[in-house]
Amino acid sequence: MTAFQAGVVGMCLVINLFEGFDVLVIAFGASGIAKEWSLTASQVGLLLSSSLVGMALGSALIAPLSDRIGRRPHTLICLAVCAVGMLLATVSTGFWFLGVCRLLTGLGAGGMVAGLPVIITEYSPRRFRGTMIALYGTGLPVGGMLGGSVAVLVTSAYGWRAGFLVGAVLTFAILVVVALALPESLDYLISRRPEGALEKVNKLLGRMRLPAVEAPERWSRTSTEPAGSLSPVS
């Protein structure tokens, strides 16, 4: 597993950790929100579940778009949606406004976390693939747990809006990193074949220390080589 592959997989894991914080941070500010706006228990429950509803909708409706526009731009768009939702939450003025912000954050998170395992699979060697996917699956709960410690400190000192601000800053930060460093999905380049796809595939294969491929009409994936490994059809 080259440093390039480890970096790609690590980036996906960090994204999932941050999204775990974004989705679960409201749990640590719920008491302050309820007190400030005099919310009922039912309203608090709706706020807590709105991001989860958004994740379900995002996984079903937004995640499939990655096959059309590419997984890299799709990830960038979803991260931007999450960041905007978190940032708007810091200036929310009422129950419905915050509920929409949480739904927006969930849409971005759900659309993204359903597509990132494809990138992890493609850039992980076959013998490490199961481990990497398992680690990725722990990202949301672990991110929520670790982020909870930060959220408790921040909200106790600066109020519940500060927790959302921290999440927005972290999401914008990983958005910049993804824009600079995350490669496109090999499967997307092979199946959709955008302009310059052959050069991009061979460049990525070179960084993975795998042999280059020839004309795109002869690309195929072998069943015995690691993820991302391609060979001409004989």
Side-chain angles (χ1 to χ4, degrees), residues 51-70:
S51 58
L52 300 179
V53 173
M55 286 190 69
L57 293 174
S59 298
L61 303 177
I62 298 178
L65 295 177
S66 63
D67 292 329
R68 295 187 177 184
I69 66 174

Side-chain angles (χ1 to χ4, degrees), residues 182-203:
L182 186 69
E184 183 53 90
S185 160
L186 285 167
D187 182 69
Y188 173 79
L189 293 173
I190 295 166
S191 59
R192 292 290 178 172
R193 300 179 186 176
E195 183 178 356
L198 179 59
E199 291 76 11
K200 292 177 182 178
V201 167
N202 283 330
K203 183 178 180 180

Side-chain angles (χ1 to χ4, degrees), residues 25-82:
V25 66
I26 191 171
F28 303 97
S31 59
I33 296 170
K35 182 178 180 181
E36 180 174 333
W37 293 338
S38 301
L39 300 181
T40 65
S42 297
Q43 289 175 313
V44 173
L46 286 174
L47 286 178
L48 291 173
S49 61
S50 56
S51 58
L52 300 179
V53 173
M55 286 190 69
L57 293 174
S59 298
L61 303 177
I62 298 178
L65 295 177
S66 63
D67 292 329
R68 295 187 177 184
I69 66 174
R71 291 185 175 86
R72 182 177 182 277
H74 181 267
T75 300
L76 290 171
I77 293 171
C78 288
L79 278 172
V81 170
C82 288

Side-chain angles (χ1 to χ4, degrees), residues 16 34 51 64 70 72 80-81 96 112 114 126 132 153 161 195 226 234:
N16 209 24
S51 58
R72 182 177 182 277
V81 170
W96 290 108
M112 179 172 42
R126 188 178 298 276
M132 296 300 102
L153 294 175
R161 297 176 192 274
E195 183 178 356
S234 58

Side-chain angles (χ1 to χ4, degrees), residues 16-17 20 24 136-147:
N16 209 24
L17 284 172
L24 299 176
Y136 176 80
T138 66
L140 282 174
V142 171
M145 178 183 67
L146 296 178

